[in-house]
Amino acid sequence: MASTAYRADFAEAAGDIGRADQLRRLRRLAKLARFMDTAVGIPGTRFRFGADALLGIVPIFGDATGAIIGLAIVNEGRRLGLPKRKIARMLYNLGLDATIGAVPLVGDAFDIFFKAHKRNIRVIMDHFALTENDL
């Protein structure tokens, strides 16, 4: 089994992933971003928030957890073959979210409005010329 895993990693590193696998991975990332940024709606309003805003209530640990999950999305974008410029943009979004999100009260409100994970998914989808309907 180790040789199969090695071959899969080698093919992925060579940029040889299939379109179906690419879409599967993007769907998984989009679901994660939705959970982190817009999972819960406030009734009677258009405001939505997710686990990132809730985690941000817990000092240090919550913001760090949100940033680690965001890094997983950035890493998956890297593995899918995004150029360095787009990876840098994703890291900027994540860094801004983590930095301002760490400020008490202001950061909690910022997490509700900025939605770094959804922005990063949009960067990936734009790169592959996909829309939300494609996923």
Side-chain angles (χ1 to χ4, degrees):
M1 283 195 58
S3 63
T4 304
Y6 172 77
R7 273 187 257 142
D9 288 343
F10 178 75
E12 183 177 314
D16 213 11
I17 62 172
R19 183 72 170 172
D21 185 47
Q22 182 184 61
L23 287 174
R24 180 187 57 79
R25 291 162 79 177
L26 289 171
R27 280 187 199 104
R28 184 174 45 87
L29 290 176
K31 285 179 186 177
L32 177 60
R34 196 173 310 119
F35 173 73
M36 291 300 290
D37 288 337
T38 59
V40 179
I42 299 172
T45 69
R46 292 179 31 195
F47 292 112
R48 299 187 68 79
F49 63 93
D52 193 27
L54 295 175
L55 287 169
I57 294 171
V58 180
I60 300 170
F61 172 77
D63 295 313
T65 302
I68 289 169
I69 292 170
L71 283 173
I73 293 172
V74 172
N75 186 51
E76 192 67 24
R78 181 194 59 79
R79 292 176 62 198
L80 286 167
L82 264 66
K84 289 181 181 180
R85 179 178 51 65
K86 291 185 179 184
I87 296 295
R89 178 66 186 174
M90 292 172 69
L91 288 171
Y92 172 79
N93 288 339
L94 189 57
L96 187 63
D97 183 50
T99 302
I100 296 176
V103 177
L105 298 177
V106 173
D108 298 328
F110 183 77
D111 279 339
I112 291 173
F113 293 103
F114 187 65
K115 302 180 186 334
H117 306 292
K118 295 283 278 189
R119 288 174 186 257
N120 286 344
I121 292 300
R122 207 168 304 123
V123 169
I124 296 171
M125 290 174 58
D126 287 347
H127 176 75
F128 293 108
L130 297 172
T131 64
E132 298 229 0
N133 296 332
D134 295 329
L135 298 180

